[in-house]
Amino acid sequence: MPKQKAYYIIDFDSTFTQVEALDELARISLKNHPDKEAIFQKIEDYTNFAMEGKLSFSESLAQRVKLLEANEDHLKQLIKHLKKKVSTSFSRNAEFFKKHADEVLIVSGGFKEFITPVVSQYHIKKENIYANTFVTTGDGKIIDYDHANPLSEEGGKVKLLQHLKLEGELFGIGDGYSDFQLRESGMINKFFAFTENIARESIVSKADHVTPSFDEFLYVNDLPRAISYPKNRILCLVIGEVDPLTISILKNDGLSIRHKTSFEEKYVKDVGIILLANGEKIDREQLKNAAKLKTIGYLGSAKNKIDLNLCTRQGIVVFDDPKNNPRNIDFIPRRVADFMNTGATYLSSNFPNLQLPKIEKSHRLIHIHKNVPGIMAKINTVFAKHDINIVSQFLMTNSEIGYAITDINTQYDKQLFKSLKKIEQTIKFRVLY
């Protein structure tokens, strides 16, 4: 039986972009208004009441447009701003939109005037953008919106999809009540609550799946994506007294953060990253059992606090700050994030130092192994057997280990990974992106 065609119904505000566009337009248009703060608050309240299902969408929209006092010049400024505010995981996966241009629909209670210029950069077709439109005066002042558009009404997204009569498997991705209504009405097969920018508890609790990033959505649906494994699935354990700014660097990178006073046993088998406050320790037994641990960031000197030799043998990259510079609050988390994103071990305490660029349109594979003769020949024999074209390859060694990074530009099957993991003397293997 042929597979059903899939359609991806994606919201715009706080989903495709990090912000609510009408709220941002108000900040631009009311910049010099004496009561701007009070008006901003009213507009934000109307937005949230509608998103949480506490006020009808049409009532919320009418009130917000009335308060805006915006014109076409303000719109131009807004578009420029929104282009810089596309959600990180959406911009990272631009290639997906290019490949699936026919199946991606932007369905929003926002306005085409600012949505179209932003999403068109991602190869989304103009005819697949469904949104409201403003009504302007001859001199460009926004005075109203088209009330005949179903998207300006309560339950507008449901009405639109009833009219479109799409046949196939329909996935909805959004952060608000109007997105959930599509699932509630049976118009879509699954609703994914998108929480990268905002998590509304009333919506999250009703979702088929909570997706903290677009990478997560692509991953669970086995769709092509920019990174092989969603960062929100990587557990980053922060231990001890750590400056919130330091933590925010890793949080903004999309990692799942847990801040604890000690390395609790329940986290040992699942933790991928550990960030340790100066003075904290990890015992050898915990290190041995932390099978998924890839890197440790130590905010001070790790000497006598972590067994660096054991970390090396386990394939765990350690970054520390031997000079214990208090002004370096971003140094360690940025090194950790860079390692997770590109494989760079630059300034690591225990690994061969390797700094390398990201290669576009390729897959990056990391192989950590014991430094024994002939192992690179075995790795490349595996690639040859699977007809893999190598774009670039880097190898750095020390007396204990070899650290090999291979960029390939071809599709691969899962058997390739199994073969690389099975090579004798392999310590760790992972696909970076």
Side-chain angles (χ1 to χ4, degrees), residues 3 11 21 39-40 52 90 110 132 153 201 214 280 298 384 386 395 405:
K3 198 181 175 189
D11 180 42
I39 301 171
F40 292 159
E52 290 160 13
F90 275 94
N132 286 300
E153 300 166 16
E201 194 41 54
F214 192 52
E280 297 291 336
Y298 197 94
H386 286 81
L395 171 70
I405 290 190

Side-chain angles (χ1 to χ4, degrees), residues 235-265:
L235 173 61
C236 174
L237 199 58
V238 179
I239 299 170
E241 274 190 53
V242 175
D243 191 300
L245 275 174
T246 303
I247 300 170
S248 71
I249 290 165
L250 295 173
K251 194 172 186 179
N252 293 342
D253 208 43
L255 298 159
S256 176
I257 310 281
R258 299 282 184 284
H259 193 177
K260 300 288 170 183
T261 52
S262 63
F263 191 4
E264 296 169 26
E265 207 55 44

Side-chain angles (χ1 to χ4, degrees), residues 366-418:
I366 291 181
H367 193 278
I368 303 169
H369 49 267
K370 289 180 186 171
N371 187 9
V372 293
I375 199 158
M376 281 309 292
K378 288 177 185 174
I379 290 171
N380 288 333
T381 299
V382 169
F383 286 129
K385 277 183 183 170
H386 286 81
D387 294 320
I388 297 294
N389 180 34
I390 294 173
V391 179
S392 60
Q393 197 166 46
F394 307 86
L395 171 70
M396 290 290 279
T397 62
N398 63 22
S399 57
E400 291 256 352
I401 57 160
Y403 182 63
I405 290 190
T406 308
D407 291 320
I408 62 174
N409 68 356
T410 38
Q411 287 303 316
Y412 49 79
D413 57 32
K414 299 284 163 67
Q415 196 52 49
L416 170 68
F417 301 162
K418 286 177 184 169

Side-chain angles (χ1 to χ4, degrees), residues 155-319:
K157 290 187 180 184
V158 174
K159 290 172 189 168
L160 175 78
L161 257 69
Q162 284 168 340
H163 171 73
L164 290 178
K165 295 186 172 72
L166 297 172
E167 287 188 19
E169 195 171 8
L170 274 62
F171 298 96
I173 306 159
D175 66 286
Y177 182 66
S178 61
D179 305 298
F180 166 69
Q181 282 178 320
L182 290 173
R183 180 73 172 96
E184 197 178 34
S185 65
M187 291 308 301
I188 59 174
N189 300 74
K190 274 188 180 176
F191 168 57
F192 291 79
F194 187 79
T195 60
E196 185 171 318
N197 305 307
I198 188 166
R200 305 178 199 277
E201 194 41 54
S202 57
I203 309 305
V204 165
S205 59
K206 296 169 182 169
D208 293 297
H209 191 91
V210 177
T211 178
S213 66
F214 192 52
D215 308 297
E216 171 76 8
F217 172 80
L218 297 174
Y219 179 78
V220 296
N221 292 298
D222 201 21
L223 291 162
R225 53 198 177 271
I227 54 175
S228 62
Y229 192 72
K231 291 182 188 175
N232 55 268
R233 287 181 172 237
I234 299 171
L235 173 61
C236 174
L237 199 58
V238 179
I239 299 170
E241 274 190 53
V242 175
D243 191 300
L245 275 174
T246 303
I247 300 170
S248 71
I249 290 165
L250 295 173
K251 194 172 186 179
N252 293 342
D253 208 43
L255 298 159
S256 176
I257 310 281
R258 299 282 184 284
H259 193 177
K260 300 288 170 183
T261 52
S262 63
F263 191 4
E264 296 169 26
E265 207 55 44
K266 65 178 177 181
Y267 294 118
V268 171
K269 66 178 177 51
D270 292 319
V271 67
I273 300 168
I274 294 177
L275 187 68
L276 286 160
N278 195 10
E280 297 291 336
K281 290 182 177 182
I282 298 183
D283 69 52
R284 286 174 57 84
E285 212 49 45
Q286 287 176 316
L287 270 179
K288 278 181 184 171
N289 295 327
K292 292 183 182 175
L293 185 56
K294 296 165 186 68
T295 180
I296 296 172
Y298 197 94
L299 301 168
S301 173
K303 198 177 176 187
N304 303 324
K305 303 290 193 303
I306 305 172
D307 188 331
L308 290 175
N309 290 331
L310 177 59
C311 286
T312 306
R313 292 197 298 276
Q314 301 254 123
I316 300 163
V317 181
V318 179
F319 298 95

